[in-house]
Amino acid sequence: MPMPQGIKVVDLMMGIPVSETNKEWYESFKPLLMDEESRRQFKMPAQYMFKDIPVLPGTDDYVQYLVSQMDRFGIDVAMVGYFEGSVAAESAKRQYPDRFIFDYPANPNLGMEEVRNIRRLHRDFGIKAVSVFPCGANPQVPINDKKMYLLYAVCTDLGIPICVNVGIPGPRVPFFAQKMEHVDEVCWFFPELKFVMRHGCEPWEDLAVKLMLKYPNLYYSTSAFAPRHYPEAIIKYANTRGADKILYAGYYPMGLSLDRIFGDLENVPFKDEVWPKFLGGNARRVFGIGDAG
């Protein structure tokens, strides 16, 4: 069943460019990288996995540029990360309040300081979610670590989802912190928490499906995967019992172009009834986004 036209897409992982290279995004990872190729040659820490990292134009207004790209591909709403003091994020919220929602990339190593930051940003800026890259924290923090429990508790209290990278990470850093098994304990202890898995869960996608069957508030987003590489287990689950659990997320401009993503989507074998949920309906429900006009 080909991807239908006319659906107003919600993209749950996009970035507002900060420069033509966006190298600024990856400075926090550098202390974790041990090999010289990653440290000195790559445009981004997992460049070896991506063959066509988007080339961006030079412009004084990347917010307007991003909106123009969203319009090209029918993306109604995009979730982008909010970094404190980000002029671009402030501009996006001010100029296009109906086109962007924001997640806060949190650092679990900051303890109660980060809990207070999340509460403040939810109150004052209106963040819709928190995100964590467990293998990218320095030091790394496993998904089921006691430091993470502070973040899960505040997200549960505020009623907002947390988006967590699960599976072997692309950057050449140890993977233990993102083992799929850790998710089981978190969902058991926080049954009200909306937990959204990012970045594929490989090589444990079959276990991801088992846990989504088990826990009502566990979800999977397709971030950082070209659609031609969506795991077979995820496609099968979406087409059977998991139509409400699989959420579209891209990876533009971090690693994938929108041309590549939407070109590949044409060949993903979702059933007709799955597409509207996958491309927008599930995200609107889970993240509390208003219906498309």
Side-chain angles (χ1 to χ4, degrees):
M1 308 34 90
M3 181 179 71
Q5 302 301 308
I7 296 175
K8 291 191 174 183
V9 177
V10 177
D11 189 331
L12 289 175
M13 192 167 192
M14 191 174 280
I16 300 175
V18 293
S19 69
E20 293 177 53
T21 64
N22 290 313
K23 287 184 177 180
E24 299 90 335
W25 284 341
Y26 310 114
E27 288 298 316
S28 63
F29 298 166
K30 282 187 176 180
L32 296 170
L33 301 173
M34 299 296 289
D35 64 294
E36 286 301 310
E37 187 176 36
S38 295
R39 286 177 170 177
R40 299 188 182 276
Q41 297 181 27
F42 285 175
K43 294 179 183 177
M44 53 94 84
Q47 183 178 339
Y48 71 94
M49 297 182 67
F50 296 91
K51 63 181 181 180
D52 295 310
I53 295 175
V55 177
L56 298 171
T59 177
D60 294 329
D61 192 345
Y62 278 112
V63 174
Q64 180 58 51
Y65 173 76
L66 190 60
V67 170
S68 72
Q69 298 306 300
M70 292 165 62
D71 289 343
R72 280 183 62 211
F73 292 93
I75 299 171
D76 184 47
V77 177
M79 186 164 75
V80 299
Y82 176 71
F83 298 88
E84 295 232 48
S86 169
V87 174
E90 296 281 356
S91 175
K93 183 176 177 63
R94 182 176 63 256
Q95 294 185 65
Y96 301 98
D98 298 326
R99 303 299 302 276
F100 293 101
I101 62 171
F102 300 86
D103 68 280
Y104 173 59
N107 180 357
N109 288 301
L110 296 180
M112 283 303 300
E113 177 184 349
E114 201 69 307
V115 170
R116 296 185 187 101
N117 287 337
I118 291 167
R119 289 193 180 278
R120 175 174 51 81
L121 292 173
H122 181 262
R123 181 190 67 235
D124 297 342
F125 192 78
I127 59 169
K128 286 282 192 178
V130 168
S131 60
V132 182
F133 178 16
C135 285
N138 189 18
Q140 293 183 331
V141 182
I143 290 169
N144 64 342
D145 190 88
K146 58 190 175 185
K147 296 177 184 177
M148 291 287 287
Y149 271 48
L150 291 174
L151 306 187
Y152 299 143
V154 70
C155 288
T156 301
D157 191 40
L158 294 173
I160 60 175
I162 190 163
C163 303
V164 182
N165 291 25
V166 183
I168 293 180
R172 290 168 178 158
V173 297
F175 71 78
F176 175 80
Q178 293 181 187
K179 290 190 72 173
M180 188 70 229
E181 290 93 326
H182 300 327
V183 176
D184 182 51
E185 177 187 317
V186 174
C187 292
W188 161 72
F189 197 74
F190 293 95
E192 301 166 65
L193 175 67
K194 290 179 280 189
F195 191 109
V196 179
M197 298 177 286
R198 277 182 165 177
H199 282 37
C201 303
E202 286 190 331
W204 306 296
E205 57 268 29
D206 288 327
L207 181 53
V209 169
K210 289 291 185 182
L211 291 182
M212 282 188 281
L213 287 167
K214 180 178 179 181
Y215 294 113
N217 285 326
L218 180 61
Y219 302 89
Y220 180 104
S221 72
T222 60
S223 60
F225 271 59
R228 68 182 297 179
H229 297 304
Y230 287 172
E232 182 179 350
I234 296 302
I235 294 174
K236 181 179 178 180
Y237 178 56
N239 282 334
T240 53
R241 298 176 65 181
D244 295 331
K245 292 295 202 85
I246 310 302
L247 296 77
Y248 167 69
Y251 200 47
Y252 178 79
M254 294 76 80
L256 296 168
S257 70
L258 292 174
D259 290 283
R260 169 81 185 280
I261 293 169
F262 281 84
D264 280 7
L265 277 174
E266 294 289 342
N267 298 311
V268 175
F270 284 139
K271 292 181 178 179
D272 289 343
E273 61 269 25
V274 172
W275 281 109
K277 295 181 177 183
F278 169 67
L279 289 176
N282 291 341
R284 293 181 187 277
R285 184 185 76 253
V286 175
F287 287 81
I289 305 168
D291 291 336

